[in-house]
Amino acid sequence: MTPIDSIKLSEVFRLVPKPKYVLGTTYTLSVAFFESVVFPFIDRSSLKSCLILCDMEGYQRALTEAAALQSAAQDYMVLPAPVSGCFHPKVWLSIGEDQAILLVGSGNLTQAGFMTNAELFDALHFTPTSPITPEMLQSIRSFTSGLANMWPDEDRQHLLCAETLSRIEEALSALTVSAGANGSMPVFLHSFGHSLIDQMPVAPDASDLYIAAPFFANSLKGLDLLAARYPKAKLHIFPAVHGGRATDVPLKQLKTAHRGAVVSRLSAAPKNTAFAHLKLYGIAKSDTNGWLCCASDNCTQAAWQGPNVEAGLLRQV
């Protein structure tokens, strides 16, 4: 399993030659943007199915573009996720004959999410020479099965999207799997089965906690969950600026509840003027040991503890 160096987001879709299946999840989406900008980067000569799942709110917005679409329901499917909370993961999975790409991050399937905003994705490329680990394979399978299980049993038997997700699981079985576990490999986190906060590393003696996120719901509840998991860590908070100098963090409450916290404006070179929509969480255990989590979840209680559906890639660094 090889980490991918910094490359253009569009180039990720070319790393798997002749993919058989492509799965994408997003909160909001522009289907016209997908058709005109993203879909052309996918080699469709062997493509059997392309499935995009999104939040109901994003789906309803996307319907306004229906007149401009040419390939929807023919070359790819777009469906809203039937969940009570926000369907918020930004995950892409492309599977070919003997390799696959897993892409996880912050950007929605829109021009802003893929081009304009300052976003962050993490990606893994699985090949015969860099095989997927058993743990990673199980995590991806539990994610795809979690997606399918969003629909009731009686409906799944008749839904093409459920059949597609089943075929994606079968295609994953054809990948080369490494012989044993590797504790230093990245971990694919998602909120099917367990809340994200419970899947974060156990490190009660962590020295520093870094939180970069655009949204806090004007509340400390999400931040408090992370701070409670790492009670000895000094807080470093990087909120996005929403026009002028406004942030989504209640700064007066923060200064009272977490007196030692350091707050700095989030900016991402070379896109210093773009809206910083990335979500990155760092835990430092020592000067030379820690973790980074590149994720879809904002620093809110709904994201870290539910009911939202979220996902992230956790890396030991």
Side-chain angles (χ1 to χ4, degrees):
M1 193 159 50
T2 305
I4 298 172
D5 293 331
S6 178
I7 61 174
K8 289 183 179 180
L9 185 57
S10 56
E11 294 297 324
V12 174
F13 294 96
R14 288 179 167 167
L15 291 173
V16 174
K18 299 184 183 301
K20 293 182 178 180
Y21 297 97
V22 174
L23 170 67
T25 64
T26 181
Y27 175 64
T28 58
L29 78 160
S30 166
V31 188
F33 173 76
F34 175 72
E35 274 198 9
S36 61
V37 179
V38 181
F39 210 26
F41 282 91
I42 299 173
D43 184 340
R44 282 170 267 172
S45 59
S46 299
L47 189 63
K48 296 181 179 180
S49 295
C50 176
L51 173 63
I52 301 170
L53 299 175
C54 63
D55 189 78
M56 178 60 76
E57 181 177 344
Y59 183 77
Q60 291 173 344
R61 291 180 185 176
L63 290 178
T64 61
E65 302 176 340
L69 305 180
Q70 298 179 356
S71 303
Q74 299 180 46
D75 297 333
Y76 63 91
M77 294 180 286
V78 179
L79 288 167
V83 294
S84 57
C86 290
F87 185 77
H88 204 250
K90 286 83 173 174
V91 176
W92 287 89
L93 181 63
S94 178
I95 308 171
E97 184 66 36
D98 59 357
Q99 56 184 293
I101 286 287
L102 176 67
L103 179 71
V104 185
S106 63
N108 290 299
L109 182 56
T110 61
Q111 182 173 342
F114 270 51
M115 299 175 67
T116 309
N117 289 348
E119 306 277 6
L120 186 62
F121 285 87
D122 198 354
L124 297 170
H125 189 188
F126 312 109
T127 68
T129 56
S130 297
I132 192 170
T133 63
E135 297 86 355
M136 179 62 69
L137 180 59
Q138 177 57 34
S139 294
I140 298 175
R141 279 178 169 168
S142 65
F143 180 71
T144 56
S145 63
L147 293 174
N149 289 335
M150 292 187 300
W151 285 272
D153 291 343
E154 59 271 20
D155 293 340
R156 287 203 302 273
Q157 302 175 16
H158 312 289
L159 290 173
L160 181 57
C161 63
E163 180 182 340
T164 299
L165 289 165
S166 177
R167 291 180 178 178
I168 288 172
E169 286 199 52
E170 292 177 6
L172 286 167
S173 301
L175 296 177
T176 303
V177 181
S178 62
N182 189 332
S184 64
M185 285 292 104
V187 179
F188 178 39
L189 310 178
H190 57 79
S191 50
F192 289 118
H194 300 282
S195 64
L196 289 188
I197 191 66
D198 293 332
Q199 300 175 60
M200 291 296 280
V202 177
D205 294 329
S207 60
D208 295 271
L209 174 62
Y210 300 86
I211 299 172
F215 298 106
F216 294 74
N218 197 29
S219 167
L220 297 182
K221 290 182 178 179
L223 191 153
D224 287 344
L225 286 171
L226 288 161
R229 192 164 181 87
Y230 306 104
K232 297 182 180 180
K234 181 177 180 178
L235 290 177
H236 306 262
I237 303 168
F238 302 87
V241 176
H242 301 253
R245 299 179 63 184
T247 67
D248 193 37
V249 183
L251 294 177
K252 291 183 179 180
Q253 295 179 34
L254 176 63
K255 291 179 180 179
T256 302
H258 302 282
R259 294 185 179 277
V262 177
V263 182
S264 305
R265 172 178 176 157
L266 175 60
S267 62
K271 287 191 169 185
N272 293 326
T273 59
F275 178 59
H277 191 254
L278 62 93
K279 292 94 172 175
L280 186 64
Y281 300 88
I283 305 103
K285 190 174 181 181
S286 66
D287 290 341
T288 58
N289 186 23
W291 297 266
L292 279 174
C293 184
C294 176
S296 65
D297 48 310
N298 291 297
C299 192
T300 65
Q301 184 177 23
W304 280 104
Q305 209 169 40
N308 287 6
V309 178
E310 307 278 2
L313 263 182
L314 177 69
R315 245 180 223 280
Q316 192 167 5
V317 292

